[in-house]
Amino acid sequence: KHQEQKASITMTDESDASSTSSSGSSSEEEVQAQPTKKQRTVPPPLEIAPTADAAHSAIQKQSASASIIGNTSNKSNRLIVLLDQAKLETIKNRKGNYELLNCDDHRDICKKKLKKDPKEFRPDICHQELLALLDSPLNKAGLLQVFIRTSRNVLIELHPSVRIPRTYKRFAGLMVQLLHKMKIKASDNGTTLMKVIKNPFSQHLPVGTRVYGMSCKGLLYSPHNLAKQLVPLDPNSTDEGQSQVCFIIGAMAAGHVTTEDHPYIEKMFSISEYPLSGASAINRILGSVEAQWAVV
């Protein structure tokens, strides 16, 4: 029995030694697995700054993609018209609804609260000019692009297929909706018909566009000679010498289009010896362009 106890003691000692040796070897492996030196992090290579030409092309691509017209085949041949200083402002009435501020319905508010002449608030002028532009054969032929710039410096782009309401009351409701929601979409196919876009207006013009202002104080030309001198002979021409043309026409009750607001205007022109309404001037200009481009 005494010998059996000794044998069992020796067996347990051997097992303890083997366990201690195995734990020791595992601890040595863990020590060996730890890295002795810190890994060196390599900094990323320096990026080359884009050139001015690359930045300009990126801005042009971004503005083209943001346009509600998109990339159409005859977009570069359109006549561009900007209605400047349009009085499109909203005001909250006593019932809590928003209305388009005008001289007929808000005369007391203009005098007492805004301290301005009620005659200045004429959004109906912009309504009449839009009807003259969008009802023209030039627009229905896909050769016209219209922008609006309000007196609060809000820039609006219009799709050529938009149909402006005939009555002023419905037009006023549409403008209030546009100024609050920043966008008007068609109910049937979801096409963006009107959209508030970022300033300045010059970044939405194609490269090389020649901009002219219309004013009764400008250089007098007949509409026929004006179109002959400024507008390209053929809207489908790809000649580099024939640049796209933009006319800036006022949409305010009093005042003029100035080069201080638009420093990119090359020259100011007039098409009559007499002061004309905006809609009448638009009809004369578009009629001369239609005759030159054979749009009937």
Side-chain angles (χ1 to χ4, degrees), residues 245-257:
V245 177
C246 172
F247 289 113
I248 299 181
I249 302 172
M252 56 285 198
H256 304 276
V257 176

Side-chain angles (χ1 to χ4, degrees), residues 22-272:
S22 62
S23 63
S25 62
S26 62
S27 62
E28 289 177 358
E29 291 177 355
E30 291 177 356
V31 172
Q32 292 177 359
Q34 294 179 356
T36 57
K37 295 182 180 181
K38 294 183 178 180
Q39 296 181 355
R40 186 178 178 183
T41 58
V42 180
L46 296 176
E47 296 182 356
I48 301 175
T51 60
D53 295 336
H56 181 71
S57 62
I59 293 173
Q60 291 295 329
K61 289 180 181 179
Q62 184 178 2
S63 63
S65 61
S67 176
I68 62 176
I69 296 180
N71 296 322
T72 57
S73 59
N74 60 348
K75 181 185 175 181
S76 60
N77 303 322
R78 296 174 185 268
L79 177 70
I80 302 174
V81 176
L82 172 66
L83 301 182
D84 193 32
Q85 295 293 325
K87 280 290 183 179
L88 300 177
E89 301 179 22
T90 60
I91 191 169
K92 197 173 185 178
N93 58 15
R94 297 178 180 178
K95 297 181 180 180
N97 300 324
Y98 286 94
E99 297 177 346
L100 197 63
L101 189 61
N102 63 85
C103 60
D104 295 328
D105 301 329
H106 311 100
R107 181 174 294 273
D108 294 336
I109 295 176
C110 296
K111 288 182 177 179
K112 298 178 182 179
K113 187 176 181 180
L114 301 178
K115 306 294 183 181
K116 292 184 178 180
D117 188 1
K119 296 179 181 179
E120 297 179 2
F121 297 91
R122 292 282 309 278
D124 59 301
I125 296 176
C126 182
H127 181 216
Q128 296 170 7
E129 294 182 354
L130 284 177
L131 290 176
L133 287 167
L134 299 177
D135 285 348
S136 65
L138 196 67
N139 179 65
K140 295 180 180 180
L143 298 174
L144 183 65
Q145 173 60 41
V146 181
F147 293 88
I148 302 173
R149 179 176 171 268
T150 70
S151 57
R152 293 291 185 90
N153 203 23
V154 178
L155 192 59
I156 303 170
E157 182 183 6
L158 282 77
H159 195 279
S161 64
V162 64
R163 296 184 64 184
I164 297 298
R166 300 290 168 179
T167 61
Y168 170 76
K169 188 174 182 180
R170 295 184 61 188
F171 168 77
L174 181 66
M175 290 296 107
V176 171
Q177 184 181 357
L178 172 65
L179 294 174
H180 284 204
K181 295 186 177 181
M182 314 295 285
K183 186 183 296 185
I184 299 293
K185 289 187 176 182
S187 58
D188 51 355
N189 54 8
T191 303
T192 303
L193 300 176
M194 305 175 73
K195 180 182 178 181
V196 176
I197 56 178
K198 293 182 179 180
N199 282 294
F201 171 66
S202 57
Q203 74 175 1
H204 302 282
L205 294 175
V207 178
T209 302
R210 309 191 68 177
V211 184
Y212 304 101
M214 303 303 299
S215 173
C216 59
K217 293 184 177 181
L219 184 62
L220 182 61
Y221 267 81
S222 67
H224 174 73
N225 291 332
L226 184 71
K228 187 177 180 180
Q229 294 291 331
L230 304 181
V231 180
L233 296 176
D234 186 7
N236 299 319
S237 175
T238 58
D239 188 6
E240 295 181 357
Q242 296 184 355
S243 303
Q244 197 166 351
V245 177
C246 172
F247 289 113
I248 299 181
I249 302 172
M252 56 285 198
H256 304 276
V257 176
T258 61
T259 55
E260 286 78 11
D261 294 335
H262 306 279
Y264 39 83
I265 291 180
E266 296 185 15
K267 210 166 186 179
M268 303 293 293
F269 291 99
S270 174
I271 55 172
S272 177

Side-chain angles (χ1 to χ4, degrees), residues 270-290:
S270 174
I271 55 172
S272 177
E273 297 178 354
Y274 310 99
L276 303 176
S277 64
S280 177
I282 287 172
N283 288 329
R284 299 195 74 186
I285 294 172
L286 296 188
S288 60
V289 176
E290 290 164 2

